[in-house]
């Protein structure tokens, strides 16, 4: 029995040390200490059980940043995975970073707190490390949608001051919208999450955030490799099958996914939130820290964004204009 107890203790210690070595928080651009490689939960199916299993495995393997959203309709299952993963490695809530997002239908001032409380309850936590406004879009009194963010943001400021959200931020804002928000608010967003990958590098926009102390989290780091975005006949090939990425991966002894993630973290200073339900890919993504790119690699990758391509823009379906003033608009 003594041998077994000693073995289990050694194994847990090894897992925790491994996780700490893999997840040094990013602090170079802002005061926000967020683990650079997060685990995304978009499209993890709550009905199949893979959401719970994937999140639990991710935490066991070393992820310390879980990205969630009310709109993903899987926060209860994700919360079960968080609890199971923490239990299995002997960690507690304070050892991980949890982000969630306010959906468009909760932008009214009296609904924002309800939205946050629902996410907190579903995830089984007592606070969020980061609470984002998912889109600068809310319901229009006349029906349909409209650009709408100030009232919701002011309500989010109060929730931050109450301690329910340690940090608050935004997602999918345009330059004009973000500047307007800052001008008319007491609290500047701590973070901005938006689509970012070699096909949509947005170098100047990323630098603007760094200059203003706003952390950037890149979603869809694998671009059009995600089948959710469908087929783009006139667009570039799937990012992870792009010959430039493949050649760099071969030379550096990495996978194409690792090249894409390291490009985001190493050269851009952003955090990333790749998603997978497969254990081998979950390992592969976090292990990207072992992949090191050279300046010549980064120069080749930059060429892929000469004609910026965005894959996530629901503006037409929602009847609003999004991303105005950005290079692909």
């Amino acid at each position: 029995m003594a041998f077994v107890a000693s073995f289990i203790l050694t194994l847990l210690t090894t897992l925790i040390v491994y996780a700490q070595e893999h997840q040094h928080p990013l602090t170079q651009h802002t005061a926000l200490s967020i683990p650079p490689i997060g685990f995304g939960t978009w499209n993890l199916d709550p009905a199949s059980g893979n959401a719970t299993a994937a999140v639990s495995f991710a935490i066991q393997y070393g992820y310390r940043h879980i990205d969630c959203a009310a709109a993903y309709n899987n926060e209860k299952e994700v919360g079960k995975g968080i609890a199971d993963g923490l239990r299995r490695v002997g960690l507690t809530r304070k050892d991980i970073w949890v982000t969630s997002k306010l959906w468009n239908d909760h932008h009214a001032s009296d609904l924002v707190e309800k939205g946050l409380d629902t996410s907190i309850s579903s995830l089984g936590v007592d606070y969020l490390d980061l609470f984002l406004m998912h889109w600068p879009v809310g319901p229009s009194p006349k029906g349909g949608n409209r650009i709408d963010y100030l009232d919701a943001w002011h309500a989010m400021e109060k929730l931050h001051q109450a301690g329910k959200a340690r940090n608050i931020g935004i997602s999918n804002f345009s330059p004009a919208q973000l500047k307007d928000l800052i001008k008319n608010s007491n609290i500047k967003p701590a973070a901005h999450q938006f689509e970012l990958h070699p096909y949509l590098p947005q170098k100047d926009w990323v630098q603007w955030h760094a200059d203003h102390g706003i952390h950037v989290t890149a979603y869809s780091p694998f671009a059009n490799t995600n089948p959710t975005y469908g087929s783009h006949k006139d667009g570039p090939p799937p990012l992870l099958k792009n010959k430039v990425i493949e050649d760099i991966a071969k030379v550096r002894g990495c996978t194409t996914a690792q090249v894409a993630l390291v490009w985001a973290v190493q050269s851009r200073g952003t955090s990333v939130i790749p998603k997978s339900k497969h254990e081998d890919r979950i390992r592969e993504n976090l292990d990207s820290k072992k992949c090191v790119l050279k300046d010549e690699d980064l120069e080749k990758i930059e060429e892929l964004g000469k004609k910026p391509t965005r894959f996530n823009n629901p503006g037409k379906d929602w009847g609003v204009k999004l991303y105005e003033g950005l290079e692909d608009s």
Side-chain angles (χ1 to χ4, degrees):
M1 288 295 291
F3 172 78
V4 173
S6 176
F7 174 78
I8 293 174
L9 179 61
T10 301
L11 179 61
L12 287 174
T13 301
T14 300
L15 283 170
I16 292 171
V17 170
Y18 178 86
Q20 291 172 339
E21 289 177 348
H22 276 64
Q23 290 285 63
H24 297 295
L26 286 171
T27 56
Q28 63 265 45
H29 286 170
T30 71
L32 199 64
S33 295
I34 182 169
I37 302 178
F39 186 72
T41 60
W42 179 43
N43 280 352
L44 286 180
D45 182 13
S48 67
N50 68 39
T52 296
V55 171
S56 177
F57 179 78
I59 291 174
Q60 291 175 61
Y61 193 66
Y63 286 82
R64 296 295 176 261
H65 169 188
I66 309 297
D67 183 82
C68 319
Y72 301 166
N73 294 315
N74 60 9
E75 288 194 315
K76 286 186 178 180
E77 292 73 21
V78 168
K80 292 177 183 177
I82 290 174
D84 186 65
L86 291 177
R87 179 182 60 80
R88 288 178 181 271
V89 295
L91 299 178
T92 63
R93 167 67 184 90
K94 64 180 179 59
D95 296 311
I96 64 169
W97 180 283
V98 180
T99 295
S100 189
K101 308 176 191 76
L102 179 76
W103 189 238
N104 304 353
D105 59 359
H106 278 66
H107 276 215
S109 298
D110 59 340
L111 294 180
V112 173
E113 185 169 15
K114 181 179 178 181
L116 174 61
D117 287 345
T118 299
S119 286
I120 285 176
S121 175
S122 296
L123 291 166
V125 297
D126 53 0
Y127 67 91
L128 293 177
D129 294 281
L130 179 60
F131 188 42
L132 302 176
M133 188 185 308
H134 210 148
W135 295 89
V137 177
S140 170
K142 301 178 181 179
N145 302 289
R146 63 175 179 174
I147 297 299
D148 173 45
Y149 50 85
L150 282 179
D151 287 346
W153 181 257
H154 294 156
M156 289 171 65
E157 288 180 317
K158 294 178 182 178
L159 296 177
H160 167 64
Q161 293 166 344
K164 287 187 174 182
R166 303 250 171 120
N167 299 278
I168 54 175
I170 56 172
S171 184
N172 299 302
F173 273 53
S174 72
Q177 291 162 354
L178 177 49
K179 291 173 185 177
D180 179 59
L181 181 73
I182 293 173
K183 180 181 178 181
N184 292 286
S185 303
N186 294 318
I187 300 175
K188 180 176 66 177
H192 189 181
Q193 185 179 124
F194 53 88
E195 182 181 349
L196 192 63
H197 44 72
Y199 289 152
L200 188 65
Q202 304 180 91
K203 186 175 181 179
D204 291 343
W205 189 215
V206 172
Q207 185 60 50
W208 187 93
H209 287 77
D211 293 342
H212 290 80
I214 300 173
H215 177 78
V216 171
T217 295
Y219 73 70
S220 294
F222 302 144
N224 56 339
T225 304
N226 190 330
T228 301
Y229 293 140
S231 175
H232 293 257
K233 295 181 180 179
D234 298 326
L239 180 66
L240 301 191
K241 293 184 178 180
N242 186 293
K243 190 174 187 305
V244 172
I245 301 295
E246 289 180 331
D247 289 348
I248 291 173
K250 184 176 181 180
V251 170
R252 301 304 170 203
C254 309
T255 68
T256 53
Q258 290 172 340
V259 170
L261 295 176
V262 172
W263 170 83
V265 176
Q266 177 184 318
S267 72
R268 319 304 296 286
T270 69
S271 55
V272 289
I273 46 172
K275 181 273 302 182
S276 181
K277 63 181 179 181
H278 304 288
E279 291 187 359
D280 56 341
R281 292 178 184 170
I282 292 172
R283 292 189 188 96
E284 174 188 340
N285 292 340
L286 189 59
D287 285 345
S288 62
K289 75 173 292 273
K290 302 174 184 177
C291 180
V292 179
L293 302 182
K294 305 294 184 180
D295 288 343
E296 61 199 76
D297 303 326
L298 300 175
E299 291 173 3
K300 292 176 183 177
I301 294 173
E302 288 298 323
E303 291 296 315
L304 300 180
K306 291 296 184 182
K307 185 179 179 181
T309 305
R310 185 183 301 277
F311 299 101
N312 186 29
N313 188 349
K316 184 176 181 180
D317 292 338
W318 290 350
V320 296
K321 292 183 178 180
L322 299 171
Y323 307 119
E324 289 186 295
L326 293 173
E327 58 195 83
D328 66 299
S329 60

